[in-house]
Structure formats: structure tokens, C-alpha cells
């Protein structure tokens, strides 16, 4: 972002378990730290949904004042208002590949060491 002439990104990591309530709190924290913040990307949809709900409570227009996006594309994300933009990954495929690697290790064989790109889909909806 700096190379593109943008402000340094705001990054926040917390030890608490992910939840909708935590997403609401993180929105508050982010706005307190960076009042001019205009977009937030969360590492999962639970947090992003909480931020979206909190933005509504605060009267912040999403996406007019603040764009919000999440990760995992949980089914409920398509039904929030506004519908949440989210990154979908092939979670079942990831799980199957991980289980196959674990079975190889348990059998005393080395699993493939090359990373395999399973892809993703950016589902652009109303929140961004």
C-alpha cells in the first residue's frame, strides 16, 4: 500500500476466539485508532458480520462510509444487509488434501512438499 502511495495498512491481531461480538468490538477499536479508515478486511466472516452490524448501530453507511469484507464466505454472509463481500475457498478440498497428507505421514511416507494452489473466489457483494 505504501508503494502505491496509500497510508500504511492498519492491522490488528487479537487472541480472543472469533465471534460476531468480537467483530463489533474490533470495528470500534479500528475506528478509534484510525477515524478516517474507509475499508476493513477481516480474516473471517464472523468478524466481518459483527463489524457490519456494529456499523449499522453506529449509523455508518456500508459501503458509502466504510467498506467491509470477510473471508470464508459463510452462507449467512450472502443474507446480511447489505450482503457481505467475502473470499470463498474450497474448504472441503483443503481438508481432503490435508487428511491425505496426514495419512501419508502416518503410513511412514513423505507427503508431497509442493504447495498446491486450490484457488479462491472473491464474491463481491453490497458491502464493498
Amino acid at each position: 500500500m505504501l508503494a502505491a502511495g496509500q497510508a500504511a495498512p492498519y492491522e490488528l491481531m487479537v487472541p480472543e476466539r472469533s465471534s460476531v461480538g468480537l467483530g463489533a468490538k474490533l470495528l470500534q477499536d479500528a475506528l478509534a485508532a484510525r477515524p478516517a479508515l474507509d475499508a476493513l478486511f477481516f480474516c473471517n466472516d464472523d468478524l466481518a458480520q459483527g463489524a457490519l452490524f456494529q456499523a449499522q448501530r453506529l449509523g455508518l453507511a456500508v459501503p458509502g462510509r466504510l467498506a467491509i469484507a470477510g473471508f470464508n464466505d459463510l452462507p449467512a454472509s450472502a443474507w446480511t444487509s447489505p450482503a457481505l463481500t467475502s473470499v470463498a475457498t474450497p474448504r472441503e478440498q483443503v481438508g481432503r488434501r490435508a487428511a491425505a497428507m496426514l495419512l501419508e505421514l502416518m503410513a511412514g511416507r513423505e507427503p508431497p512438499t509442493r504447495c498446491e494452489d486450490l484457488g479462491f473466489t472473491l464474491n463481491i457483494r453490497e458491502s464493498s
Side-chain angles (χ1 to χ4, degrees):
M1 289 186 67
L2 293 173
Q6 301 296 315
Y10 174 77
E11 183 177 354
L12 178 63
M13 295 174 56
V14 297
E16 292 93 351
R17 287 186 66 171
S18 176
S19 69
V20 172
L22 180 59
K25 179 188 177 306
L26 292 176
L27 173 66
Q28 293 283 123
D29 294 348
L31 291 174
R34 298 267 181 98
L37 201 64
D38 61 0
L40 285 169
F41 175 73
F42 289 89
C43 66
N44 65 52
D45 281 6
D46 291 346
L47 296 173
Q49 288 171 6
L52 179 63
F53 299 146
Q54 185 65 11
Q56 291 169 340
R57 284 188 188 94
L58 297 173
L60 299 175
V62 175
R65 160 62 179 85
L66 179 68
I68 298 175
F71 191 90
N72 280 339
D73 199 33
L74 297 177
S77 294
W79 295 99
T80 59
S81 181
L84 182 66
T85 293
S86 187
V87 176
T89 58
R91 293 187 296 173
E92 182 177 340
Q93 236 182 322
V94 170
R96 288 181 184 277
R97 299 285 166 83
M101 290 174 75
L102 183 58
L103 289 172
E104 288 293 312
L105 284 170
M106 291 169 63
R109 297 184 294 268
E110 278 295 312
T113 56
R114 134 186 163 309
C115 288
E116 184 176 353
D117 184 352
L118 299 177
F120 66 91
T121 303
L122 175 60
N123 292 319
I124 299 172
R125 298 192 180 102
E126 300 162 341
S127 70
S128 63

